[in-house]
Amino acid sequence: MKKVYIETYGCQMNVADTEAVFSLLTDAGFGRSLDIDAADVILANTCSVRDNAEQRILGRIEQFNVRKRRHGAVTGILGCMAERMKEELLEKVDIVAGPDSYRSLPAMIEEALHGRPQVNVELSRTETYADIMPVRTDTNGVSAFISIMRGCNNVCSYCVVPYTRGVERSRPFRTIVREACDCVAKGYREVTLLGQNVDSYLDGEVNFAKLLAMVAEACPSTRVRFSTSHPKDISDELLRTMASHPNVCRHIHLPVQSGSNRMLEKMRRRYTREWYMERVAKIRELMPDCAISTDVIAGFCSETEEDHKATLSLFREAGFDSAYMFQYSERPGTLAARNYPDDVPPEVKTARLEEIISLQNRLSLESNRRDIGKTFEVLVEGPSKKGTGQLCGRNSQNKMCVWDDSVHKPGDTVKVRVTGCTQATLLCELSE
Ligand code: SAH
Ligand code: SF4
Ligand code: F3S
């Protein structure tokens, strides 16, 4: 049996895709290898969202090739970089497979094993891998990702995803509910529904709010999370559905990208700062205990000091619980790359990013300090990274908690009381 090793980069959708790929490969008679040196086939499932992500992966491919020369393995690139760079990558690997081509991967691998390089980067309007029961690759057995849609129809001007992932497709709701129930049967205690813009999910009459209710009701003792919400589309119906289902976690990832209306317009986000802040207010009104996290881009084309200050002030106003923060990286082929010069000097981008990060660090610490003394239900994920005799897990708000514990095991739900915090973690004790 030929064994396949896959390294996964990029977003959670890629994690879900790697699981679908393993399912397809297992059905075709391949085995999975966790050891790169024991593998006959070495694959990277890749991300193109920023240039540094791509550079890191290309560096790693060089290491794959060292192993390939030593052991005679076949190498390949899957996912977004395969889609963006296409045949060009054949200089580096034997297989180039875009995100909609995974059903042909077993045959491609067979061909490559016989010395014939393979490329399939065709995008599909319909492929959702709906019928595939993923082979879970996470190690804790507690939390599973479920892909509910593919692609993206928003053309945010900076973003390569619509080009690498193609048009938006929603997966039939019945297959999603079935997969969630299957996760529960296998012992998972948390499922995360994934899409680039979950709020535009639509299968017949079933929108995202209805889908969320169905999943939450089909798995009443399982936590349900979702990502990513788009500020222009997140609806009151969705917020009310969350509020009325206690097993839907109190956390919304709501990427803002910028606090300046001029930048938002240029980014083609199709909302304003005022709209965004109204959505935040609505979330807080309906679910006062809901955490909000965000993504932001520093130094987008023509961004001025004033635009940047608007981002900082929005961060203060919104009081985000956490954030993913990036400097703008021009992606070939996007609207921004074609229409606007990437004119903010690198050192200015870096300085602005650092300013946002240090502000957010303060906001995260403040958010965590407000939790001191509170009691939370936490789903145990496993041993904490640092402490011996300590476990870690997240509360409903997606905050990482650690506490001394020699009794519980991954998958248990425990009550903890917050006694202290860092900017990244709630330090807790078992409360009963
Ligand atoms: N679908 C999600 C985001 C997917 S990409 C959404 O619409 O919010 C994840 C994050 O990467 C984005 O939110 C954005 O902050 C960042 N990103 C995307 N393209 C980028 C680029 N060209 N340069 C820097 N950051 C980028
Ligand atoms: Fe990219 Fe915008 Fe689609 Fe998100 S919504 S994936 S940022 S184009
Ligand atoms: Fe990256 Fe593709 Fe996800 S570009 S962020 S892996 S959709």
Side-chain angles (χ1 to χ4, degrees):
M1 185 166 68
K2 296 288 184 192
K3 284 195 174 166
V4 183
Y5 168 92
I6 307 184
E7 256 173 43
T8 307
Y9 296 85
C11 60
Q12 297 170 334
M13 318 276 290
N14 262 10
V15 175
D17 278 9
T18 294
E19 297 181 337
V21 166
F22 270 122
S23 172
L24 287 160
L25 293 179
T26 315
D27 287 351
F30 290 93
R32 176 176 173 206
S33 173
L34 294 173
D35 173 7
I36 188 167
D37 291 313
D40 306 288
V41 183
I42 306 174
L43 304 175
N45 191 3
T46 61
C47 176
S48 286
V49 80
R50 284 169 292 276
D51 184 59
N52 58 7
E54 288 195 341
Q55 294 311 322
R56 198 159 60 94
I57 293 166
L58 290 174
R60 185 65 183 141
I61 300 297
E62 293 308 316
Q63 296 174 334
F64 285 6
N65 285 333
V66 170
R67 287 186 168 76
K68 169 176 157 168
R69 284 191 286 276
R70 232 186 269 148
H71 307 287
V74 155
T75 59
I77 295 183
L78 316 182
C80 293
M81 275 175 80
E83 196 58 51
R84 193 182 81 69
M85 297 168 78
K86 305 189 177 15
E87 287 81 8
E88 188 188 323
L89 289 171
L90 279 186
E91 284 170 19
K92 304 185 188 293
V93 289
D94 310 304
I95 298 167
V96 179
D100 288 345
S101 74
Y102 299 148
R103 286 182 202 271
S104 69
L105 199 55
M108 292 171 79
I109 293 175
E110 288 297 348
E111 289 293 308
L113 285 165
H114 289 92
R116 292 183 283 272
Q118 299 290 307
V119 184
N120 184 346
V121 288
E122 206 152 318
L123 285 173
S124 161
R125 303 194 142 261
T126 53
E127 179 65 88
T128 57
Y129 302 112
D131 54 314
I132 292 170
M133 275 298 165
V135 172
R136 306 283 163 200
T137 57
D138 64 313
T139 44
N140 66 13
V142 172
S143 182
F145 292 137
I146 301 181
S147 176
I148 65 164
M149 55 209 293
R150 299 184 70 80
C152 184
N153 279 357
N154 298 302
V155 192
C156 301
S157 61
Y158 51 82
C159 184
V160 77
V161 171
Y163 305 92
T164 62
R165 292 265 164 177
V167 297
E168 186 182 281
R169 289 141 270 171
S170 295
R171 177 178 166 185
F173 71 87
R174 283 191 188 81
T175 69
I176 297 168
V177 176
R178 199 190 309 140
E179 188 175 330
C181 294
D182 179 68
C183 289
V184 177
K186 289 187 172 129
Y188 287 88
R189 304 295 318 280
E190 178 177 274
V191 295
T192 304
L193 308 180
L194 296 177
Q196 291 299 350
N197 175 3
V198 291
D199 306 288
S200 65
Y201 177 89
L202 195 62
D203 176 24
E205 301 278 282
V206 179
N207 63 12
F208 183 60
K210 295 193 174 63
L211 176 74
L212 184 66
M214 278 185 210
V215 173
E217 286 159 25
C219 320
S221 57
T222 303
R223 281 179 166 187
V224 184
R225 299 185 183 277
F226 57 87
S227 189
T228 302
S229 301
H230 197 301
K232 78 178 163 62
D233 295 322
I234 189 168
S235 67
D236 290 357
E237 185 192 1
L238 175 73
L239 300 179
R240 293 211 172 86
T241 304
M242 284 181 80
S244 62
H245 289 82
N247 59 324
V248 175
C249 288
R250 296 297 183 251
H251 170 231
I252 297 179
H253 186 59
L254 196 64
V256 68
Q257 314 300 2
S258 171
S260 149
N261 281 337
R262 194 178 70 86
M263 287 293 104
L264 288 171
E265 165 89 44
K266 211 162 182 172
M267 289 173 161
R268 288 210 179 204
R269 288 291 285 178
R270 299 195 277 159
Y271 54 82
T272 59
R273 173 193 178 108
E274 292 71 27
W275 173 275
Y276 186 90
M277 289 309 300
E278 188 279 329
R279 292 288 77 196
V280 168
K282 195 72 186 179
I283 295 167
R284 300 249 155 88
E285 176 198 323
L286 294 175
M287 291 171 288
D289 60 342
C290 188
I292 304 176
S293 58
T294 200
D295 292 347
V296 68
I297 299 175
F300 185 58
C301 310
S302 84
E303 187 188 69
T304 62
E305 204 51 37
E306 198 185 327
D307 295 316
H308 168 61
K309 291 248 152 58
T311 296
L312 294 172
S313 80
L314 181 135
F315 267 57
R316 277 189 290 265
E317 271 176 50
F320 294 119
D321 297 281
S322 64
Y324 294 97
M325 298 160 277
F326 312 103
Q327 339 190 352
Y328 173 58
S329 163
E330 185 176 85
R331 306 316 291 135
T334 56
L335 287 176
R338 281 182 274 148
N339 296 323
Y340 313 127
D342 179 11
D343 53 3
V344 177
E347 61 280 8
V348 176
K349 284 183 185 170
T350 308
R352 287 180 186 167
L353 178 63
E354 277 170 5
E355 212 176 333
I356 299 172
I357 292 174
S358 72
L359 169 60
Q360 182 55 45
N361 285 348
R362 224 180 61 222
L363 294 173
S364 300
L365 184 61
E366 282 170 17
S367 158
N368 286 350
R369 279 199 183 131
R370 286 192 293 272
D371 288 338
I372 294 177
K374 290 185 192 161
T375 302
F376 291 111
E377 238 175 40
V378 171
L379 177 59
V380 181
E381 287 178 15
S384 90
K385 277 200 201 96
K386 289 187 203 138
T388 43
Q390 282 204 318
L391 293 179
C392 72
R394 282 165 300 142
N395 66 6
S396 176
Q397 288 73 12
N398 209 34
K399 289 188 180 179
M400 190 50 87
C401 302
V402 300
W403 66 97
D404 288 336
D405 192 335
S406 53
V407 182
H408 294 99
K409 52 182 195 317
D412 288 349
T413 300
V414 301
K415 274 223 168 103
V416 300
R417 207 177 65 85
V418 183
T419 55
C421 69
T422 67
Q423 137 218 323
T425 313
L426 298 178
L427 311 172
C428 307
E429 58 185 24
L430 279 173
S431 86
E432 49 189 54

